[in-house]
């Protein structure tokens, strides 16, 4: 058994059992990958993959457990490098963050700028995706942290750290009847075409829940992943926008009116997701605290150990 065989097994699983794609990612040949996996199976005395001809079609029951162990072994190998770097280059390295567009565009810039003043040798790698995608990036070892509002609790492999709460807002052009309407109600909003987030993003479940709770079914004429796209179509007069309040910039969006909907739609909580068995370097703990000041290192370490879930939010 060797590390190469373990890496081949994990890579094949990450490429949906496509050996050819895994071989390309590993810069080797398909026969070479298949040969090494067969050698590992022979050594272990069990099949890891179900085969149909030369194709892998599924994981066997022992294969599922073997893959889980292989993934942990590769993560531990990465942890060895991280430990060495922590003591040889404590304030230098790469912090990889997987997050959604709203966080990357409206929240992280200020945090990263301030963090870089303290840790100028730390480089950042930002990966954007849906909440599910960013969690999968952390589990696959492609990112150190996931930052999202939804999805993290769906993955038992991740520790969930609540960071801050935020509300939605209504965005309309100046002069629109909802710009000054008092009181602003969901019934009034539902009389207009609505432009808002895609179903898996940025608190959309809370938006749906609020309208359904009033037996309202607004006409959602357009959904998007990007708050800027929502504002673009609001400017065109296609409908009224519902987006994260943090995505409204009073200077850049001076032609629009923003009205807080915190009294109408349940607030949302943005969270950080970290692998339960992760080894975090010192500057990662420092970044988490910079993003959410109540998440000090001792609090995060207790969470990673499973010692309670009261993070003071």
């Amino acid at each position: 058994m060797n590390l190469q065989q373990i890496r081949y097994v994990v890579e094949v699983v990450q490429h949906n059992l496509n050996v050819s794609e895994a071989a390309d990612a590993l810069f080797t040949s398909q026969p070479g990958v298949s040969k090494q996996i067969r050698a590992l199976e022979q050594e272990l005395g069990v099949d890891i993959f179900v085969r149909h001809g030369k194709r892998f079609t599924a994981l066997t029951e022992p294969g599922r457990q073997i893959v889980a162990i292989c993934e942990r072994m590769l993560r531990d190998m990465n942890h060895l490098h991280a430990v060495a770097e922590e003591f040889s280059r404590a304030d230098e390295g790469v912090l990889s963050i997987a997050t959604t567009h709203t966080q990357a565009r409206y929240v992280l810039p200020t945090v990263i700028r301030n963090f870089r003043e303290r840790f100028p040798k730390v480089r950042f790698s930002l990966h954007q995706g849906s909440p599910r995608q960013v969690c999968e990036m952390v589990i696959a070892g492609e990112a150190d942290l996931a930052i999202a509002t939804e999805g993290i609790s769906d993955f038992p492999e991740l520790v969930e750290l609540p960071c801050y709460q935020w509300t939605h807002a209504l965005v309309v052009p100046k002069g629109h009847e909802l710009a000054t309407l008092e009181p602003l109600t969901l019934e009034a909003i539902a009389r207009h075409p609505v432009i808002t987030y895609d179903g898996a993003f940025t608190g959309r479940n809370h938006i749906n829940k609020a309208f359904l709770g009033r037996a309202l079914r607004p006409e959602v004429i357009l959904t998007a992943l990007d708050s800027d796209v929502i504002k673009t179509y609001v400017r065109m007069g296609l409908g009224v926008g519902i987006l994260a309040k943090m995505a409204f910039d009073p200077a850049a969006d001076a032609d629009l009116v923003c009205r807080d909907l915190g009294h109408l739609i349940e607030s949302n909580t943005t969270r950080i997701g970290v692998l339960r068995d992760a080894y975090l370097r010192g500057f990662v703990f420092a970044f988490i605290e910079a993003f959410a000041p109540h998440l000090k290192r001792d609090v995060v370490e207790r969470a990673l150990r499973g010692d309670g879930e009261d993070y003071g939010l």
Side-chain angles (χ1 to χ4, degrees):
M1 184 185 306
N2 58 58
L3 186 60
Q4 183 186 58
Q5 293 169 334
I6 292 168
R7 184 171 286 113
Y8 285 3
V9 167
V10 171
E11 198 72 34
V12 167
V13 172
Q14 290 179 347
H15 284 84
N16 299 314
L17 307 187
N18 188 312
V19 179
S20 178
E21 290 183 3
D24 289 343
L26 292 162
F27 302 101
T28 188
S29 67
Q30 180 177 341
V33 172
S34 299
K35 181 180 178 180
Q36 288 297 322
I37 290 176
R38 175 56 76 185
L40 178 60
E41 290 176 322
Q42 291 174 347
E43 181 177 348
L44 295 175
V46 295
D47 287 338
I48 298 172
F49 297 97
V50 178
R51 290 169 170 82
H52 182 74
K54 293 183 178 181
R55 293 189 301 110
F56 293 161
T57 59
L59 285 169
T60 64
E61 180 56 37
R64 281 192 286 271
Q65 298 183 43
I66 289 168
V67 167
I69 294 172
C70 288
E71 290 173 338
R72 288 201 301 271
M73 292 174 70
L74 289 182
R75 287 199 295 269
D76 284 342
M77 285 295 298
N78 291 332
H79 294 168
L80 287 176
H81 292 293
V83 170
E85 289 181 343
E86 180 67 15
F87 285 91
S88 62
R89 299 182 299 160
D91 296 335
E92 182 177 350
V94 177
L95 176 51
S96 181
I97 299 172
T99 190
T100 59
H101 170 82
T102 299
Q103 301 297 325
R105 169 69 176 82
Y106 297 103
V107 182
L108 283 174
T110 300
V111 177
I112 290 175
R113 181 194 61 198
N114 294 340
F115 181 85
R116 285 273 300 163
E117 292 176 358
R118 293 179 54 203
F119 296 89
K121 294 183 179 180
V122 173
R123 292 170 287 123
F124 283 85
S125 177
L126 288 182
H127 308 271
Q128 292 186 50
S130 69
R132 182 171 189 85
Q133 288 170 334
V134 304
C135 291
E136 290 172 344
M137 290 178 198
V138 173
I139 293 170
E142 299 169 6
D144 301 303
L145 307 172
I147 301 177
T149 298
E150 297 89 0
I152 296 176
S153 61
D154 296 335
F155 293 87
E157 303 96 325
L158 301 179
V159 173
E160 188 177 25
L161 303 168
C163 298
Y164 68 91
Q165 291 185 317
W166 55 270
T167 60
H168 285 99
L170 176 74
V171 176
V172 296
K174 285 187 174 180
H176 192 282
E177 64 178 277
L178 296 183
T180 56
L181 180 68
E182 292 294 350
L184 180 62
T185 64
L186 292 176
E187 286 79 3
I189 295 172
R191 289 195 288 270
H192 298 268
V194 172
I195 304 168
T196 190
Y197 296 110
D198 182 75
F201 283 77
T202 321
R204 177 63 190 277
N205 288 339
H206 286 177
I207 296 173
N208 294 345
K209 181 180 175 182
F211 281 106
L212 288 174
R214 303 286 295 177
L216 299 170
R217 294 185 179 275
E219 180 189 10
V220 178
I221 63 162
L222 189 148
T223 62
L225 311 181
D226 183 333
S227 303
D228 292 328
V229 172
I230 294 173
K231 288 183 285 187
T232 294
Y233 285 95
V234 169
R235 288 185 171 100
M236 293 173 61
L238 293 187
V240 301
I242 298 178
L243 44 67
K245 187 179 179 183
M246 71 186 85
F248 183 83
D249 183 333
D253 301 323
D255 57 326
L256 300 176
V257 174
C258 174
R259 303 198 62 184
D260 192 297
L261 296 178
H263 63 299
L264 298 175
I265 299 174
E266 183 181 349
S267 63
N268 305 270
T269 302
T270 291
R271 297 171 170 85
I272 286 177
V274 187
L275 271 177
R276 291 190 179 278
D277 58 354
Y279 175 85
L280 301 183
R281 295 189 61 186
F283 61 74
V284 180
F285 285 107
F287 177 83
I288 293 174
E289 184 175 350
F291 188 80
H294 65 286
L295 293 177
K296 302 188 183 304
R297 179 166 183 158
D298 63 322
V299 174
V300 177
E301 287 178 333
R302 288 201 306 272
L304 292 174
R305 294 195 302 267
D307 296 344
E309 299 182 357
D310 183 6
Y311 310 120
L313 186 63

